[in-house]
């Protein structure tokens, strides 16, 4: 399978004097695409047409890419990396840019001093360790719109070249991927295949479980062994993988603690893990659903609890500012105030926290665009 495909590659590139250019290309996806187009259009004589912006480049008329399995793409990527041309990490798909992660958390995430600190510490420590004892497991807690998804995206963008699209990253949204309780047996099989398949191809894989509070207990049982202290399971080691669970479990407790701080005139930035963790655990144990009932939270499989505090008016303004900036549109302080005023604030008396956090802020600014 490999040779017949690589030989024409070497031939095509050397014959055409493209070998040098080939190695200068920074990214494997460009290389693969280039190579694939070349082989498809010139050697296999598939149906091709000139690309619009550059008529000297032929591109396949259909998405010929999809003919190739992920395994094959993997081989191509491994082969390219084995030439030592691409990446420090030895795997082109992995960039592990901790500086970038730190910077993103500092500049783009608002009002989350705990999440910012815990996430960097957890990920940096884990990646530094050449032989971790178990997979890294983070559990993000908080209301919707407080940044849980946003931070998991930052992690994937800074650890993987292709971010969420990377073959190393898998996002599971409980109600979407596992909607029917009676199909749990089927989902268990699928989940096993997804997890083991991904890790076999990419030991430093990232699995994100969104709306984890809705995960069926049977699915948690399926995931558990991968996060445990086993040397390997069926010959595959999962110890370099990262699991992130996003849930609203504990959201009420986090909000109460933050509100208490505000009432007593203390700084929100002084809320620390000791203030939160006991309340978080209590609430988690009392809440319904597979995730909280499982021993995940009570056992020691979760390495870090990451609380996301409820966002205030000033944070919503910062989100609005970022949204305007990312669109390259100018804005005024009044407009930011107007966007922030448009959100609903709770609790009834204090009206301190945005009920939706920063969710929908990027859509809301549409009303203010010129
Ligand atoms: C890879 O492709 C992208 C989009 O087609 C392009 O912007 C980028 O410059 C390419 N990178 C290299 C190193 O050729
Ligand atoms: C890491 O991220 C920083 C900030 O986003 C960026 O300037 C830097 O080029 C990145 N480094 C690598 C190796 O990608």
């Amino acid at each position: 399978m490999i040779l017949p495909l690589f030989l024409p590659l070497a031939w095509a590139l050397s014959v055409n004097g493209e070998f040098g250019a080939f190695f200068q290309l920074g990214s494997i996806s460009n290389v693969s695409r280039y190579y694939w187009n070349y082989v498809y259009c010139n050697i296999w004589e598939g149906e091709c047409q000139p690309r619009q912006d550059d008529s000297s480049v032929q591109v396949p008329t259909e998405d010929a890419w999809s003919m190739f399995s992920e395994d094959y793409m993997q081989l191509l990527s491994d082969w390219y990396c084995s030439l030592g041309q691409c990446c420090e990490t030895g795997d082109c798909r992995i960039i592990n840019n901790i500086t970038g992660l730190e910077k993103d958390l500092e500049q783009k995430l608002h009002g989350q001093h705990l999440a910012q600190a815990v996430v960097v510490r957890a990920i940096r420590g884990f990646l530094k360790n050449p032989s971790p004892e178990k997979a890294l497991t983070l559990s993000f807690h908080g209301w919707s719109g407080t940044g849980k998804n946003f931070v998991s995206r930052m992690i994937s963008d800074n650890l993987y070249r292709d971010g969420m699209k990377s073959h190393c990253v898998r996002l599971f949204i409980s109600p979407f991927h596992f909607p029917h309780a009676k199909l749990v047996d089927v989902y268990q099989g699928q989940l096993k295949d997804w997890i083991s398949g991904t890790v076999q191809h990419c030991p430093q894989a990232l699995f994100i479980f969104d709306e984890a509070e809705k995960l069926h207990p049977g699915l948690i049982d399926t995931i558990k062994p991968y996060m445990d202290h086993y040397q390997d399971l069926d010959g595959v080691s999962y110890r370099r993988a990262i699991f992130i669970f996003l849930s609203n479990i504990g959201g009420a407790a986090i909000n109460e603690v933050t509100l208490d701080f505000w009432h007593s005139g203390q700084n929100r930035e002084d809320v620390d893990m000791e203030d939160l963790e006991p309340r978080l655990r209590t609430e988690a144990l009392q809440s319904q659903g597979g995730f909280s009932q499982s021993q995940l939270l009570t056992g020691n499989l979760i390495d870090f609890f990451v609380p996301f505090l409820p966002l205030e008016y000033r944070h919503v303004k910062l989100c609005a500012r970022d949204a305007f900036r990312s669109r390259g549109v100018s804005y005024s302080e009044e407009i930011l105030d107007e966007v922030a005023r448009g959100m609903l604030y709770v609790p009834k008396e204090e009206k301190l926290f945005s009920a939706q956090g920063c969710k929908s802020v990027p859509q809301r600014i549409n009303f203010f665009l010129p």
Side-chain angles (χ1 to χ4, degrees), residues 105-347:
L105 285 165
E106 212 175 279
Q107 298 179 347
K108 300 184 187 161
L109 181 71
H110 304 301
Q112 303 298 358
H113 64 285
L114 287 171
Q116 195 182 323
V118 178
V119 165
V120 171
R121 185 155 50 91
I123 302 232
R124 181 195 282 135
F126 180 71
L127 295 180
K128 255 194 194 157
N129 185 350
S131 49
E133 273 178 26
K134 66 184 277 303
L136 176 67
T137 312
L138 306 175
S139 188
F140 289 5
H141 299 263
W143 263 2
S144 86
T146 50
K148 301 187 300 289
N149 269 293
F150 194 42
V151 171
S152 32
R153 205 162 291 267
M154 281 179 193
I155 294 174
S156 58
D157 284 346
N158 284 292
L159 264 43
Y160 305 92
R161 186 200 56 213
D162 300 326
M164 295 296 289
K165 293 204 191 96
S166 171
H167 293 153
C168 302
V169 179
R170 282 270 185 185
L171 168 67
F172 300 103
I173 305 168
S174 311
F176 176 76
H177 289 94
F178 318 114
H180 305 296
K182 60 173 187 280
L183 292 182
V184 142
D185 293 353
V186 179
Y187 299 148
Q188 283 180 319
Q190 286 174 341
L191 190 55
K192 249 186 206 154
D193 290 347
W194 278 327
I195 294 182
S196 64
T198 306
V199 170
Q200 277 173 38
H201 288 309
C202 186
Q204 187 196 305
L206 171 63
F207 301 99
I208 302 167
F209 292 86
D210 194 5
E211 304 196 37
E213 71 273 6
K214 299 190 181 121
L215 274 175
H216 190 280
L219 295 177
I220 308 256
D221 288 339
T222 305
I223 310 167
K224 232 189 295 180
Y226 300 112
M227 310 189 310
D228 213 332
H229 296 73
Y230 300 118
Q231 187 73 38
D232 61 53
L233 297 169
D234 293 334
V236 180
S237 167
Y238 293 85
R239 293 172 161 203
R240 304 205 58 82
I242 302 174
F243 290 82
I244 303 181
F245 296 91
L246 319 186
S247 75
N248 58 17
I249 298 168
I254 297 172
N255 293 1
E256 278 165 30
V257 172
T258 317
L259 192 63
D260 289 349
F261 263 67
W262 183 80
H263 275 302
S264 62
Q266 285 170 281
N267 267 333
R268 167 195 180 94
E269 284 70 28
D270 294 333
V271 176
D272 61 25
M273 285 308 283
E274 280 92 79
D275 299 314
L276 284 170
E277 201 154 341
R279 307 266 288 265
L280 207 68
R281 277 184 194 279
T282 319
E283 188 185 325
L285 288 180
Q286 285 163 357
S287 63
Q288 300 298 313
F291 189 59
S292 30
Q293 298 303 314
S294 71
Q295 288 136 29
L296 275 192
L297 292 175
T298 46
N300 45 12
L301 292 187
I302 303 277
D303 300 303
F304 294 90
F305 286 94
V306 186
F308 284 73
L309 309 187
L311 296 179
E312 299 173 16
Y313 184 89
R314 58 193 163 121
H315 304 119
V316 177
K317 269 179 81 175
L318 291 172
C319 294
R321 183 203 63 188
D322 291 353
F324 278 107
R325 281 189 185 165
S326 72
R327 300 265 192 105
V329 177
S330 63
Y331 54 88
S332 64
E333 199 64 18
E334 288 75 47
I335 290 188
L336 299 186
D337 274 314
E338 212 169 318
V339 176
R341 270 201 303 272
M343 307 293 282
L344 174 73
Y345 293 86
V346 293

Side-chain angles (χ1 to χ4, degrees), residues 95 97 99-100 103-104 158:
I95 50 177
N97 187 350
T99 328
K103 202 170 133 204
D104 279 354
N158 284 292

